[in-house]
């Protein structure tokens, strides 16, 4: 299933999309923030045109996991996207994604010009890849099944 990731900011909204199998994330585009309703409609329209089955909205929780002003804005955008479209919307902790995108560009020895460009869509790709990797790990984790009746009895207790 193809997944779209939204990295909302005050001025810009970064978007990333997965491949059809939901394995690899890539930066898609950057939208200029207009209003929550306009942004939500544009995101849903783009998601529908790409055949997306899930939209993941990055939420920047504070260092101690609480909801600050930026997280509240992201959660309100997620609600607006849900209200406009029929695609499932999830939220995902995106704390530190912009810093990781900048560090990745430095590791890749990107030019200074490239490093000064907005990172919103690259940060969205990092958030999305984290999400996809966790989902893949959850699918491949074996579940414990008791080998004997004694194991079954001990689990009931």
């Amino acid at each position: 299933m193809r997944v779209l990731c939204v990295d909302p900011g005050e001025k810009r909204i970064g978007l990333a999309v997965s491949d059809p199998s939901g394995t690899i994330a890539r930066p898609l585009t950057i939208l200029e923030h207009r209003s929550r309703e306009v942004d939500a409609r544009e995101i849903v329209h783009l998601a529908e045109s790409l055949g997306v089955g899930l939209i993941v909205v990055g939420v920047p929780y504070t260092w101690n996991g609480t909801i600050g002003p930026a997280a509240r804005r992201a959660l309100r955008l997620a609600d607006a996207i849900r209200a406009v479209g029929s695609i499932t919307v999830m939220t995902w902790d995106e704390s530190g994604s912009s810093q990781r995108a900048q560090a990745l560009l430095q590791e890749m020895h990107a030019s200074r010009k490239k490093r000064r460009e907005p990172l919103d869509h690259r940060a969205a790709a990092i958030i999305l890849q984290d999400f996809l990797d966790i989902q893949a790990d959850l699918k491949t984790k074996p579940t414990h099944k008791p080998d004997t009746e004694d194991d079954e009895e001990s689990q009931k207790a």
Side-chain angles (χ1 to χ4, degrees):
M1 165 181 55
R2 184 165 283 195
V3 182
L4 179 75
C5 182
V6 179
D7 181 20
E10 288 186 50
K11 297 179 184 177
R12 293 177 302 272
I13 301 168
L15 298 176
V17 68
S18 75
D19 63 326
S21 69
T23 307
I24 305 291
R26 68 173 174 84
L28 182 63
T29 192
I30 298 173
L31 304 177
E32 293 300 319
H33 168 64
R34 289 185 239 154
S35 74
R36 189 177 313 125
E37 291 75 23
V38 170
D39 296 342
R41 282 194 303 273
E42 194 168 350
I43 291 164
V44 168
H45 176 72
L46 184 60
E48 290 171 347
S49 71
L50 293 170
V52 165
L54 174 67
I55 298 173
V56 175
V57 177
V59 178
Y61 293 101
T62 62
W63 64 271
N64 62 356
T66 60
I67 297 174
R72 264 192 294 285
R73 281 192 302 274
L75 292 168
R76 286 194 299 262
L77 178 59
D79 288 341
I81 294 168
R82 285 183 189 102
V84 171
S86 60
I87 299 172
T88 301
V89 177
M90 292 180 63
T91 59
W92 192 257
D93 185 6
E94 62 102 339
S95 303
S97 61
S98 294
Q99 293 85 351
R100 289 174 33 211
Q102 185 67 45
L104 184 60
L105 283 177
Q106 288 176 346
E107 285 176 28
M108 294 170 38
H109 303 290
S111 68
R112 286 184 186 165
K113 179 182 176 187
K114 191 76 149 173
R115 289 191 309 240
R116 282 193 296 267
E117 293 175 0
L119 297 172
D120 307 85
H121 61 318
R122 295 181 196 284
I126 288 172
I127 297 163
L128 181 54
Q129 193 62 58
D130 285 348
F131 173 81
L132 297 172
D133 290 346
I134 295 294
Q135 298 309 306
D137 285 349
L138 292 174
K139 288 179 186 174
T140 60
K141 275 197 173 168
T143 56
H144 174 74
K145 292 188 179 180
D147 293 330
T148 66
E149 288 180 23
D150 292 337
D151 287 342
E152 288 175 1
E153 291 300 317
S154 66
Q155 286 184 354
K156 290 179 186 175

